[in-house]
Amino acid sequence: MRNRNYFQNFFKSIKSTIYKIRENMKKGNVLIYYLIFIICFLMISPIAIYIFLGRDKKDSSHIEYSLQDSSITKSDIKIKLYNTKEDKIEEIPLEEYICGVVASEMPASFHIEALKAQAVAARTFVMAKIKNKCNKAKGAQICDTTHCQVYLNEKDKKESWGSKANDNWNKIVQAINDTKGKVLTYKGELVVNPQFFATSSGKTESSKDVFASSIPYLQSVDSPGEEVAPKFKSTKDVTYKEFVNKINSTYGNGKMNLNNVKSQIKILDRTDSGMVKEIQLGKVKIKGTDFRNLFNLNSANFKLEFKKNSIAINCLGYGHGVGMSQWGANSMAKSGESYDKILMHYYTGVKIKNINK
């Protein structure tokens, strides 16, 4: 209503000004004519600018995306998923897909706020994949494995839950509905690496220490309360012979031998959270993450215990350690923190915004 009155008064002023121009022209007052003309021009300019530039301005609390170069709304978004088991591409509505991911990636027994945090992280991940497709998805945008995000449809997931199927699924759906369309952004742009993992050692890792690239929102943060996680601690025993053979077969220049193995191994550097950055094995130096992959360990945060016939590799945490710890998120949720506080804790400097047309 206020805008309507404004324009009515504005056009009355224009009409009055035009009348004055005509009167002054009749009287030969050319100078006054020009002055009035300039005044009119200055009055009209802001309106023209508003009409041609201002009308398309978006609310900064939303973020714009496009799929295959065409505008989309939340209800229009469908995800092209590569089903690895059936070797085919499926098209699934976004929020239905997020239900399948959250149900597969996080225990349904977790606090609802932790499930909500997982939903936002999962939604952000797949939105990033719309423009940067998975290279293992055979033309789809994303695959259904740990290479991207694990996804199971409602039917298959319910079968795995047994008698708790309906209650678990309803809880997952609630978490998705309560965060519908919400994604993580950093400095106004979609977060393209919303990393998450199972369990930390009490502190998450910085991306530069694990992925060799410094991502500002993936910094090391404290993550207390995870000692209750079933894989917070794990141990793997490897015989000395198996250990030496694996190193020498993988790294020919390692040249390890069975004589006093302990003296041939040295941890050279660790991150602030305790993850091994570099380890020396005989005559070769490798990354802690490579050592983890070589022996299929739960994490790169490990210590070596030299026993009589074997080496015990004792690990803390489960996963790469970067981004949001799922068990840490559950601990925060149980302490009364909301999903947005959880996300802003694990992803430094992010904001939560809505997908918008």
Side-chain angles (χ1 to χ4, degrees):
M1 181 64 71
R2 187 167 65 182
N3 287 341
R4 182 184 298 176
N5 292 336
Y6 171 81
F7 282 110
Q8 286 176 346
N9 293 332
F10 173 77
F11 286 115
K12 284 181 181 179
S13 298
I14 293 295
K15 185 176 179 181
S16 175
T17 303
I18 292 171
Y19 175 78
K20 290 178 181 178
I21 290 173
R22 290 174 60 190
E23 291 300 311
N24 279 284
M25 288 180 68
K26 289 178 181 179
K27 296 176 181 178
N29 295 331
V30 178
L31 179 60
I32 294 175
Y33 161 74
Y34 280 117
L35 286 172
I36 294 174
F37 177 80
I38 291 170
I39 292 170
C40 281
F41 178 79
L42 293 173
M43 292 172 68
I44 293 171
S45 294
I47 302 303
I49 292 170
Y50 171 81
I51 291 172
F52 291 103
L53 298 179
R55 64 183 178 182
D56 288 329
K57 189 175 182 180
K58 301 288 185 182
D59 184 344
S60 61
S61 66
H62 293 79
I63 191 162
E64 186 176 339
Y65 301 98
S66 61
L67 175 61
Q68 298 177 347
D69 298 324
S70 61
S71 295
I72 52 176
T73 63
K74 284 178 281 191
S75 59
D76 294 330
I77 302 174
K78 289 189 177 179
I79 303 305
K80 291 184 178 179
L81 172 80
Y82 174 56
N83 184 322
T84 53
K85 185 178 179 180
E86 298 184 18
D87 191 25
K88 68 177 184 179
I89 295 174
E90 300 175 355
E91 197 169 68
I92 306 169
L94 172 62
E95 303 301 336
E96 179 183 324
Y97 167 78
I98 300 303
C99 282
V101 171
V102 174
S104 304
E105 287 281 5
M106 181 175 273
S109 60
F110 274 18
H111 194 284
I112 188 69
E113 293 301 313
L115 293 169
K116 291 179 187 179
Q118 182 67 64
V120 176
R123 190 179 295 107
T124 304
F125 187 93
V126 73
M127 289 304 297
K129 285 296 180 184
I130 288 177
K131 290 187 176 180
N132 301 297
K133 295 180 180 179
C134 166
N135 57 15
K136 294 185 178 182
K138 295 189 176 182
Q141 294 157 342
I142 198 166
C143 68
D144 61 359
T145 71
T146 54
H147 179 260
C148 289
Q149 302 184 119
V150 178
Y151 167 84
L152 283 175
N153 61 36
E154 180 181 356
K155 178 177 176 295
D156 291 341
K157 193 59 194 176
K158 280 185 173 180
E159 286 179 358
S160 71
W161 278 329
S163 61
K164 295 183 178 180
N166 288 331
D167 288 342
N168 285 351
W169 188 257
N170 290 339
K171 187 178 179 183
I172 299 295
V173 170
Q174 180 188 340
I176 275 62
N177 285 339
D178 288 350
T179 62
K180 187 175 182 179
K182 294 188 181 299
V183 293
L184 297 171
T185 66
Y186 182 78
K187 292 187 176 180
E189 300 293 332
L190 179 71
V191 165
V192 296
N193 290 296
Q195 298 288 336
F196 55 87
F197 64 100
T199 311
S200 82
S201 60
K203 195 169 186 178
T204 67
E205 302 291 344
S206 173
S207 65
K208 64 182 175 60
D209 291 327
V210 178
F211 303 134
S213 60
S214 183
I215 301 173
Y217 49 81
L218 295 178
Q219 302 299 317
S220 177
V221 299
D222 290 333
S223 186
E226 300 196 50
E227 297 82 2
V228 296
K231 294 184 179 180
F232 179 73
K233 290 183 178 181
S234 59
T235 298
K236 185 164 190 176
D237 276 303
V238 183
T239 66
Y240 286 111
K241 183 177 181 179
E242 181 186 354
F243 188 96
V244 169
N245 287 342
K246 182 158 284 192
I247 297 302
N248 288 339
S249 63
T250 307
Y251 304 99
N253 55 343
K255 298 181 180 178
M256 290 193 70
N257 60 69
L258 288 172
N259 296 321
N260 195 7
V261 173
K262 182 178 179 179
S263 67
Q264 301 170 62
I265 302 172
K266 185 179 181 181
I267 292 175
L268 301 173
D269 195 15
R270 290 183 182 271
T271 65
D272 291 340
S273 64
M275 185 193 81
V276 175
K277 293 179 71 173
E278 189 175 40
I279 182 172
Q280 183 159 349
L281 303 164
K283 303 213 179 268
V284 68
K285 297 176 183 178
I286 68 171
K287 295 178 180 178
T289 50
D290 292 336
F291 185 89
R292 177 200 173 193
N293 293 332
L294 185 63
F295 288 98
N296 194 28
L297 305 176
N298 281 352
S299 81
N301 189 329
F302 58 83
K303 292 182 179 179
L304 304 177
E305 180 185 351
F306 297 91
K307 298 159 73 173
K308 184 178 180 180
N309 298 311
S310 64
I311 300 174
I313 310 173
N314 301 311
C315 295
L316 288 179
Y318 182 41
H320 52 63
V322 180
M324 183 179 72
S325 166
Q326 293 170 320
W327 277 84
N330 193 47
S331 176
M332 287 184 68
K334 289 166 79 172
S335 297
E337 298 290 358
S338 59
Y339 79 91
D340 54 330
K341 295 293 177 59
I342 294 170
L343 290 167
M344 287 187 281
H345 172 74
Y346 283 108
Y347 302 103
T348 305
V350 300
K351 292 184 178 180
I352 301 170
K353 294 188 178 181
N354 295 318
I355 302 170
N356 192 33
K357 183 175 179 181

